[in-house]
Amino acid sequence: MRGSRFSGPRMAGWELWIMVSQRLSSIVAAIAFPLFIAACTDLSAVRDFAKTSSAVVESRAVIDGYVAHPSRMRAFFPPDRLALLEEQSRLRQNQKAGLEGLQQAIGTYMTTLGSLAADETVSFNTNPLVSQASKVGVIAPDLVGVVTAAGDLLLRAASSAWRQRETSRLIGDVHPHLVRMTDALRQFVTEAAAADDAQALSAIDAHYSLLIRRSRDPAGMAALGEWRIVREEAVRSREAARTAYLSALAKVRDGHQILFDRRNDLSLGDTIRQLRAAEAALRELGKVLEPLVARAL
């Protein structure tokens, strides 16, 4: 009898079947385990923070108040200065598109981030921030490239088959662009709109003081004094609304810094706790904004 070409005992059929099954099970487990972990990853805190950020950032009340300031001042300016107000009004109407473009760029990124964190389908055929980049160029030409780059990253992320995995990558890549955009919006609102309050309070005081001095009717003088208080309270409400909005922008920036610093540990308990706290603070600021805006109108 010729010797076998193979050394060692011949394996029975059932033993071979067990060995093959074990190897197949190991292969399946190696593939399935990462998918199982990804499916179980809790990114709801990322989702909620991003969605709330988008809603608060895109609040139009502060920008609308800034644009409407020259029109509000018409009642308090002498006729020979109305042409100046008209010029300011035209300038601010042009700036409005740029400011809204900046708000929309931040809001679109945050909405997309929230959808990716929820493993929802995001569909972009082209860069979703092209229009916003063009608008932003009106007020900040140096930010056109920043907004465009952020849009390119959103397009890439939307094309990924594994959306939750793309979340961490997107956060890391967009972070410097988001910081530039939020800082620019905060700076503009702080510098451009803050001067309006001082001008408005001065104009209101001069206007009603003159009317009261000219009046000989005690009841009329009292009514004018009450109207002055109403006007002044509206100015202070606009100031408070702007302060709340600036605080919200700062909270969005700080919250995204948490995302950036912990982008590889987004589902850990400490990360979730910090994001939940940031999102709760944003929601409270949103609640503060609503009544302030109503009193400022």
Side-chain angles (χ1 to χ4, degrees), residues 175-193:
H175 182 69
H177 305 310
L178 181 83
V179 169
R180 289 277 307 277
M181 290 188 288
T182 54
D183 284 354
L185 187 54
R186 288 173 64 197
Q187 181 179 357
F188 191 96
V189 171
T190 299
E191 295 178 355

Side-chain angles (χ1 to χ4, degrees), residues 188-247:
F188 191 96
V189 171
T190 299
E191 295 178 355
D196 289 350
D197 297 334
Q199 183 188 59
L201 289 172
S202 176
I204 290 169
D205 180 64
H207 177 76
Y208 284 99
S209 294
L210 178 62
L211 292 178
I212 290 172
R213 284 197 304 269
R214 289 176 174 176
S215 177
R216 296 292 181 267
D217 178 14
M221 294 168 65
L224 288 169
E226 291 174 0
W227 270 109
R228 175 164 61 184
I229 292 172
V230 170
R231 297 282 194 177
E232 289 172 345
E233 286 181 348
V235 174
R236 294 190 178 97
S237 291
R238 284 192 292 273
E239 181 182 10
R242 187 175 63 254
T243 299
Y245 184 68
L246 289 170
S247 296

Side-chain angles (χ1 to χ4, degrees), residues 5-254:
R5 292 169 54 198
F6 304 101
S7 60
R10 180 171 295 177
M11 187 176 293
W14 63 273
E15 292 176 318
L16 179 62
W17 181 84
I18 291 175
M19 184 185 73
V20 171
S21 297
Q22 289 175 337
R23 290 184 177 179
L24 285 174
S25 297
S26 298
I27 294 172
V28 170
I31 296 173
F33 184 71
L35 295 176
F36 173 77
I37 293 298
C40 295
T41 298
D42 180 13
L43 297 183
S44 60
V46 179
R47 175 201 65 202
D48 295 344
F49 172 76
K51 299 284 188 180
T52 302
S53 295
S54 177
V56 174
V57 167
E58 292 199 70
S59 174
R60 297 178 56 179
V62 172
I63 302 304
D64 287 347
Y66 168 72
V67 174
H69 175 75
S71 297
R72 283 195 300 268
M73 289 295 96
R74 289 183 64 87
F76 309 109
F77 271 54
D80 61 336
R81 297 188 63 191
L82 292 182
L84 175 62
L85 290 178
E86 291 295 337
E87 182 181 349
Q88 288 184 354
S89 182
R90 286 192 295 270
L91 173 63
R92 295 190 182 202
Q93 285 294 338
N94 291 334
Q95 291 173 330
K96 180 181 180 181
L99 292 168
E100 288 178 347
L102 204 49
Q103 288 181 307
Q104 292 163 5
I106 298 170
T108 299
Y109 163 66
M110 284 297 186
T111 299
T112 304
L113 177 61
S115 297
L116 291 172
D119 209 27
E120 298 171 354
T121 300
V122 178
S123 179
F124 297 128
N125 294 322
T126 59
N127 183 321
L129 299 183
V130 169
S131 174
Q132 286 77 8
S134 177
K135 293 177 181 178
V136 168
V138 174
I139 60 170
D142 59 315
L143 289 180
V144 172
V146 172
V147 177
T148 302
D152 288 336
L153 293 170
L154 291 180
L155 179 62
R156 183 199 67 188
S159 304
S160 174
W162 195 347
R163 289 182 288 275
Q164 278 196 345
R165 182 179 63 182
E166 190 66 26
T167 302
S168 299
R169 184 186 180 195
L170 181 65
I171 290 169
D173 291 343
V174 171
H175 182 69
H177 305 310
L178 181 83
V179 169
R180 289 277 307 277
M181 290 188 288
T182 54
D183 284 354
L185 187 54
R186 288 173 64 197
Q187 181 179 357
F188 191 96
V189 171
T190 299
E191 295 178 355
D196 289 350
D197 297 334
Q199 183 188 59
L201 289 172
S202 176
I204 290 169
D205 180 64
H207 177 76
Y208 284 99
S209 294
L210 178 62
L211 292 178
I212 290 172
R213 284 197 304 269
R214 289 176 174 176
S215 177
R216 296 292 181 267
D217 178 14
M221 294 168 65
L224 288 169
E226 291 174 0
W227 270 109
R228 175 164 61 184
I229 292 172
V230 170
R231 297 282 194 177
E232 289 172 345
E233 286 181 348
V235 174
R236 294 190 178 97
S237 291
R238 284 192 292 273
E239 181 182 10
R242 187 175 63 254
T243 299
Y245 184 68
L246 289 170
S247 296
L249 289 177
K251 185 61 65 176
V252 169
R253 187 188 192 280
D254 293 345

